[in-house]
Amino acid sequence: MKRVKLHDKEFEIAIRHDQIQTAIGVVAQKIREDMKNEYIPVFLSVLNGSFMFTSDLLKQMDFNCEVSFVKLASYSGVTSTGKVQELLGLSTDIRGRTVIIVEDIVDTGHTLVDLVAVLKKHQPKQIKVATFLLKPDAYDKDIPIDYAGMKIPNDFIVGYGLDYDQLGRNLRNIYKIVN
Ligand code: IMP
Ligand code: MG
C-alpha cells in the first residue's frame, strides 16, 4: 500500500518493511556484540508501540536473555510537574542486572526520562536504550541512545507498531503524514 487513511488523515509510505528489517539487523548485531559477556540481560519492551520491533529484534538475539513488557501510566499527583509516572507490569527483579529498554520511537525523550528514573529506583547494574526510531531534531535529553535503528525527521509517522489515535499499529511499513 502506497497510501493509507486513518481517521481523518492521509499517510504515504516512508520506510518499507524490508528497509525496517535491514536496519534492525544492524542494531541487532551491535547488541549481540555488546551483550556477549553480560549475564542474562533483560529486554524491557515499552508497550504498546514497541511490540513489532521487540519481536523482530529478539528473534535476532542468540544469547540467553529475558523479555518483559511494561507500560508507563501517568496520573495526576502532587509533584512539581503535576505528573507522576507509574510503571505497570515490571514483574522481573532487575536489581543488579543489565536492562535494555526497547522503544518504538524516541521523540522529545520525555517518556524515556521518566522511564529511566523509575527503573533506577530498582537499582539495575546498567540501563541501555534501544529504539527503532529516533527524531534527533526533537530529542534534547542527556540519556545516551545506545542503539537507534533509524534517524528520521520530525514528521508524524504511523505503522510498525506506531499509531495515530490507536490506528495504524498493524501496518508492516512506516507511513508519514501527508500535509
Ligand atoms: P517522547 O516525546 O519521546 O516522550 O515520545 C512519546 C511517545 O509519543 C512515543 O513513545 C510514541 O508513542 C509517541 N510518538 C512520538 N512520535 C510519534 C510519531 O511520529 N508517531 C506516532 N507516535 C509518536
Ligand atoms: Mg511508545
Side-chain angles (χ1 to χ4, degrees), residues 24 42 45-46 88 110 120 134 136 157 176:
I24 293 174
V42 187
S45 172
V46 187
L88 305 177
H110 283 140
K120 278 190 172 164
L134 174 65
I157 48 125
K176 71 174 181 194

Side-chain angles (χ1 to χ4, degrees), residues 53-72:
F53 177 45
T54 304
S55 169
D56 288 336
L57 182 70
L58 269 283
K59 279 178 264 186
Q60 297 202 38
M61 296 301 112
D62 59 356
F63 50 86
N64 284 342
C65 58
E66 292 180 14
V67 59
S68 197
F69 295 86
V70 296
K71 203 162 187 168
L72 267 181

